[in-house]
Amino acid sequence: MTRPATPVDHELVDAAAEIARTRARGELHTMAAAARDRDGRIVTALNAYHFTGGPCAELVVIGAAAAQGAYDLVTMVAVGDRERGVVPPCGRCRQVLLDCFPSIDVIVGNGAARRTLPVTDLLPASYVWADHQSDEQA
Ligand SMILES: [Zn+2]
């Protein structure tokens, strides 16, 4: 089944790019992410790199959004520092996005290849955590 292409949320890309350009710093903060909530607001964040597994910008923005009461994220994008442009989410982030926001769209690609994809397209034949939890109440 093919669904019509979802337009790219350029305002969201610009928000992440602005944070990447102005706030990314050193080796600790190299990626920015921006997420749009269903209510229209945009939340931004930076990654917090650490060799023990510091969170990607996408994960930080999920927490930052929740801290602002934005729990229903509909679109996510990450942009790299040093003018690297849009960077697709890593495998861990794809799984987190799928489990936490199964209908979220993710912006990937640069130039003519920039597009908006449902997270399910980024993780075909995926493991769905909720499908494997016990129905019993603890
Ligand atoms: Zn990631």
Side-chain angles (χ1 to χ4, degrees):
M1 185 173 76
T2 303
R3 77 176 200 180
T6 303
V8 171
D9 185 341
H10 296 289
E11 185 184 19
L12 195 64
V13 176
D14 290 347
E18 173 72 11
I19 295 300
R21 187 171 44 254
T22 62
R23 302 290 188 204
R25 197 167 141 184
E27 296 179 358
L28 184 57
H29 304 295
T30 57
M31 290 290 305
R36 188 180 292 282
D37 189 76
R38 189 168 303 284
D39 69 10
R41 76 182 120 161
I42 290 173
V43 179
T44 58
L46 287 164
N47 70 320
Y49 178 80
H50 190 266
F51 70 90
T52 61
C56 296
E58 293 95 325
L59 303 185
V60 179
V61 85
I62 290 170
Q68 297 175 32
Y71 298 103
D72 192 8
L73 305 182
V74 294
T75 312
M76 176 80 73
V77 67
V79 172
D81 65 352
R82 296 171 281 128
E83 305 295 331
R84 288 183 287 148
V86 170
V87 177
C90 74
R92 176 177 66 167
C93 288
R94 291 175 194 216
Q95 186 71 52
V96 170
L97 290 171
L98 178 71
D99 288 326
C100 297
F101 306 96
S103 61
I104 198 168
D105 287 328
V106 181
I107 300 170
V108 299
N110 288 294
R114 184 164 294 162
R115 61 207 184 281
T116 303
L117 297 173
V119 69
T120 49
D121 282 15
L122 295 177
L123 211 54
S126 55
Y127 172 86
V128 178
W129 182 81
D131 291 347
H132 300 281
Q133 302 313 301
S134 170
D135 291 334
E136 296 175 25
Q137 296 294 322

